Amino acid sequence: MIPIPPLKRRSYGYIGKEKPAPRQTTKLPKKRHAAIYWWHIVLFPLFIVSWILRALWRLRPKFAKRRAGSLWRPILRMGLAFSVASILLLTIFVVWVSRDLPDPDKLTDRQVAQSTKIYDRTGEHLLREIYTAEKRTLVDLEDIPKNVVDGVIATEDKIFFEHKGVRPLSIARSIVYGILGKNRVGGGASTLTQQLVKNAILTGERTLTRKLKEFVLSIRLEQVYTKEQILKIYFNEIPYGGTNYGIEAAAQSYFGKHVSDLDLPESATLAGLPKAPSRYLNNPEALKQRRDFVLARMAEEGYITEAEKETAQQSPVTLSQRTGDMTAPHFVFYVKDQLNQEFGERLVDTGGLKVITTLDFEKQLLANEAVSSSQKTLLEAKADNAALVAIDPKTGQVLAMVGSRDYNDLEIKGNFNVATQGLGRQPGSSMKPIVYALAFSKGYTPDTLLFDVSTNFAVSGAKEYRPVNYDEKEHGLVTVRQALQNSYNIPAVQMLYLVGEKDALEFAKKLGYTTLDAGNFGLSLVLGGATVHLLEHVNAYATFANNGVYHAPVAILRVEDASGNVLKEWRPNPGEEILNPEFTATLSNVLSDDATRAPTFGAGSILTLPDRPVAAKTGTTNDYKDGWTVGYTPSLAAGVWIGRTDNIPLKPGYGGSKVAGVIWNSFMKNTLSGTPVEQFPEPPPNTATRPILRGAIGGNVTVTINRVTGKIATSSTPAEDLVERTFIPAHSILHYIDKKDPSGPPPADPNSDPQYAIWETAIRDWILRMRKDNPDWNVAFEDPPTEYDTPDSLFLVPSLIVTYPTPNTTLTSRRITTDIQTNAPRGVAKVTYKIDGQLIDVITTAPFSLRAFLPELAEGQHTLTIIAEDDAMNRRIAEVPFFLAAPAELPGVSFVERNASFSSTQFPRTLFLNPYKPEQIQKISIYLSASDGSNRTLVTEVTDFKNLFNNQLAITLKQATPGNWLLTAEVVLLDGTMRAADSLPITVQ
């Protein structure tokens, strides 16, 4: 016998009495005859209106004091007329609504149920028949565990024993929702009595009239039956999914036991199941969340302890149910869930509907075959599950769906539809085309140059974020085409930063992704840091195949009732243009470029089809938990996911291409066999004017120049001055373009971008590594020339005489200095110094001499290149070979500035030093003295070398009187040794 919570209530039914004899029907004895029916509903608004009129009448004396022309009397008359009219209309409406309500005395007299049939798109292949037979075993209330009753009351209607069938606040809210929602009534807050009426008597349609009927009948039901009788009817009548009606049938079907034998976790599971049986039965993850929610509510209401709740929540949810053989079980239940949401479970289960779906039966068979035949490949990869979805890009219609490798395999939770349910899976690099498509729309091109070099993208002390490529290599300067087709991670992160994470998320949502609000993904979004559903992922690619026009996924073409009336019918629609066709043409051209991805995947890989172009992209998460391949032709988009249900990583090296790609290729090849070959639209030409957006293949620009003038060679260039040179931009793309407007003017101050210094440092470090590992690497890291050589170019070439060092000089110090003489008709703008092609410094003030400290330069033969250049890029080049014979430098520092000259008004002044082996230095002291060494004073001392800016030490010289001065840096090493490190002459004017 169920103890009733100690709430304020009258005595009900047989609780506390001798158990009544078993009945063969759920019809129960009346509590009393109902004396009042529909006009109960009228009394409530009548009371409200009368209260308003009474308040207005009390204010009448105040209205009378107003002048004769006052508006109050007309307003009062209008209010009175409106109130009377509202009462009349509401009364008529309630009478009309109540005219065909069933007698609650005949609540359990059920109509003969008819089966709903779900067909493929032709209507010839029956995919699933929802059986007319209803499994039901009646049980008494005292046979139902207390935990089941408590779970339902705590979750669905905690004041069940107090209300009279409805809650007034829920009435008001439903009416408001009905008005604001265009006759669609919001759910939630229904009483158990209302739920019983909706499930056992009315349909599940969400309209205002149906809701009013529900209110009226709920009140009448409470007048006829006791609370315990209503509970008994509830537990014996409501659907629990499939053919199971009533809780005893559900307990037998799902747990193989009588309802009286259910434990706490099982009781909570069945208590929460009726809210959406189809959804929960086909989504174990959602079912567990629902079960745990019920347990939490029971603990909050005091029905169970916290310890009992936590213990129950830790137990797994295992339901035993089999569907028999079906061609497309996951698709069928995906469709059934949509039908339930729109028409209600009762009508779907018993209404005799005829449902024509979008499923292409032949393609579904090929999808089943592609997945089932991959068993050997899956085993090699240590994967146990796979899913496949195919969509018609022109309509968004789902043509095939395989939600798991085997629907009936309980070990892999086969009934869970990986394609549509749960929180989704990480897509890995298959997310990159979304970001690159957005980039093309913003003005970036497939020829845009990006540096694929090791980069820590963290800003301002944030946790390090240094993505690596799948091959753990750096590929230097690459084009966007190369980066996307070879799936390089570092350029992809750069591109996400260029287009903006916020814009990328908004763009993805326009493409139909619904799982991107659950976290701050940062720059990892482009590498698959978020989670997606396979269905939505494939549909995004289908949008690219459809020239940028988006269609929401469609699974149902037509629904007819038992009489042949059409309840729902899909009609062609133009869709929504998300992306300009020229940008999708560009993306398709890149994704179908087999030659460009050949270095990584090999020519003619599984991402190609033998007789037609196809755009495709793979994706594998860094931990090898998920593998993807998604691709499309103009008429078919398909995607495959592979992995493990338990999220254990796959075998390293297996994932997107080796496993998912094999399944995808098999399906696409067999499905498209014998169909007309379709071509992608031609992409527009690259009309960008910025050189960084027009980079050559490979990221290098090789041109023949005049070695003297540095300009592009012409027919008038002397043959002895011709030289072929390869140029690589010396800076990241942030140096050349404004990321918000890549086609616009260059940024006025690139340093203002928080990533600029990070990217520049990464490039410089990569160049150092390349020089060290490849001594013969002869590449010029500077922008290629844009001007052409002319016959008069030599007249404007600067003169350049190198006095020191002379050719083949042996240098015994790592403090390298030069003495040069240079002049030009237009004036010398700068002198650039390089050693072995590596940039050392650029001097822009006379006398243009070099003063550099090179502690890491190897001993041996080197070449010093000096380039004197005017403002029109006329240049003179001198190359001086020299031999370095200097031992490794002791730890110390060197000043960055050269023979500094300042005005007295330019103080305080910040100067920079380059520390060498700072980990071995205890202290650095900076002294200021006269040029002869007198008047020596301490400027600053530095003992902390952890917060270097750009690997440099900054000091501030507050003031200095006019004259010639000398800054001296002295270091104290960890062993106490003190030594002079460097000095800087300063002239103050």
Side-chain angles (χ1 to χ4, degrees), residues 73-85:
R73 290 188 177 181
I75 292 175
L76 184 60
R77 294 192 188 100
M78 291 177 61
L80 180 61
F82 177 77
S83 300
V84 173

Side-chain angles (χ1 to χ4, degrees), residues 203-484:
T203 65
E205 60 178 337
R206 301 179 67 183
T207 62
L208 186 59
T209 55
R210 201 280 300 161
K211 197 70 175 177
L212 285 174
K213 290 180 180 180
E214 177 185 307
F215 293 153
V216 173
L217 193 56
S218 297
I219 293 174
R220 295 174 62 185
L221 195 65
E222 290 268 345
Q223 296 170 343
V224 175
Y225 297 113
T226 67
K227 291 288 187 179
E228 288 81 2
Q229 290 172 330
I230 291 174
L231 280 176
K232 178 176 180 179
I233 299 172
Y234 176 89
F235 284 116
N236 282 287
E237 289 291 323
I238 60 173
Y240 282 83
T243 60
N244 299 301
Y245 283 81
I247 195 167
E248 174 66 13
Q252 293 275 9
S253 178
Y254 302 138
F255 296 112
K257 59 177 68 174
H258 294 291
V259 64
S260 58
D261 297 327
L262 295 177
D263 58 22
L264 175 58
E266 294 166 344
S267 297
T269 300
L270 292 189
L273 188 61
K275 180 178 177 64
S278 292
R279 174 171 175 249
Y280 295 136
L281 290 175
N282 292 285
N283 189 338
E285 190 174 312
L287 178 60
K288 185 178 187 303
Q289 292 176 355
R290 177 65 176 168
R291 189 275 311 266
D292 292 349
F293 172 73
V294 173
L295 291 167
R297 286 290 302 129
M298 292 175 70
E300 290 173 5
E301 294 298 321
Y303 292 120
I304 59 175
T305 65
E306 282 293 322
E308 290 175 322
K309 179 199 77 172
E310 293 175 2
T311 301
Q313 287 180 340
Q314 292 173 1
S315 65
V317 177
T318 54
L319 300 184
S320 5
Q321 55 167 340
R322 296 185 65 86
T323 62
D325 295 329
M326 280 195 291
T327 303
H330 293 97
F331 178 78
V332 164
F333 288 113
Y334 172 66
V335 169
K336 186 174 184 289
D337 190 50
Q338 293 185 17
L339 294 171
N340 289 337
Q341 292 182 33
E342 187 162 359
F343 301 106
E345 299 241 4
R346 179 177 174 80
L347 179 62
V348 174
D349 288 345
T350 63
L353 304 181
K354 179 180 180 182
V355 183
I356 305 298
T357 69
T358 61
L359 187 116
D360 186 308
F361 193 76
E362 298 301 324
K363 288 182 175 62
Q364 181 66 37
L365 293 178
L366 292 173
N368 292 343
E369 174 62 23
V371 173
S372 62
S373 64
S374 66
Q375 181 70 14
K376 180 179 179 182
T377 307
L378 291 173
L379 289 175
E380 289 178 1
K382 296 183 178 179
D384 64 8
N385 210 349
L388 184 153
V389 167
I391 290 177
D392 180 352
K394 295 179 174 59
T395 61
Q397 295 179 9
V398 180
L399 303 176
M401 178 183 290
V402 180
S404 73
R405 180 176 55 81
D406 183 355
Y407 185 94
N408 293 313
D409 190 338
L410 297 180
E411 292 186 4
I412 65 169
K413 297 181 180 178
N415 63 334
F416 180 81
N417 190 343
V418 180
T420 63
Q421 295 175 329
L423 300 176
R425 294 277 186 156
Q426 289 187 326
S429 292
S430 65
M431 198 69 183
K432 290 175 182 174
I434 311 302
V435 173
Y436 281 107
L438 177 60
F440 294 150
S441 72
K442 288 179 175 285
Y444 297 95
T445 70
D447 301 320
T448 299
L449 296 174
L450 299 171
F451 272 98
D452 180 25
V453 297
S454 178
T455 307
N456 176 18
F457 291 92
V459 179
S460 302
K463 183 180 179 181
E464 178 175 299
Y465 179 58
R466 189 184 298 273
V468 297
N469 292 320
Y470 72 96
D471 57 3
E472 300 183 351
K473 296 179 180 179
E474 301 170 280
H475 304 93
L477 198 64
V478 297
T479 63
V480 160
R481 181 182 293 270
Q482 290 174 303
L484 178 54

Side-chain angles (χ1 to χ4, degrees), residues 430 534 537-538 541 607 615-619 628-632 638-640 664:
S430 65
L534 176 61
H537 204 32
V538 174
Y541 278 67
L607 299 183
K617 185 72 187 73
T618 64
W628 305 71
T629 297
V630 189
Y632 58 89
V640 173
W664 175 85

Side-chain angles (χ1 to χ4, degrees), residues 798-800 822 828 830-832 866-870 874-876:
S799 63
L800 177 61
T822 180
V828 176
K830 64 180 180 179
V831 175
T832 303
I866 305 173
I867 306 170
E869 190 173 349
D870 66 12
N874 296 302
R875 61 178 62 182
R876 175 74 68 178

Side-chain angles (χ1 to χ4, degrees), residues 884-962:
L884 180 63
E889 186 70 21
L890 293 173
V893 292
S894 62
F895 287 97
V896 175
E897 287 76 6
R898 312 285 184 263
N899 295 320
S901 178
F902 309 121
S903 168
S904 59
T905 61
Q906 293 179 301
F907 289 88
R909 185 82 184 185
T910 300
L911 303 174
F912 294 91
L913 298 94
N914 287 321
Y916 177 59
K917 296 183 179 179
E919 69 278 3
Q920 299 182 27
I921 299 175
Q922 180 184 137
K923 180 175 65 174
I924 298 176
S925 301
I926 309 297
Y927 295 94
L928 178 67
S929 64
S931 57
D932 60 1
S934 61
N935 300 324
R936 176 180 166 104
T937 59
L938 179 65
V939 175
T940 186
E941 286 186 345
V942 181
T943 58
D944 184 6
F945 309 105
K946 295 180 180 179
N947 298 316
L948 298 179
F949 177 75
N950 202 21
N951 293 324
Q952 293 181 336
L953 180 64
I955 65 168
T956 301
L957 187 60
K958 295 183 179 180
Q959 62 181 8
T961 57

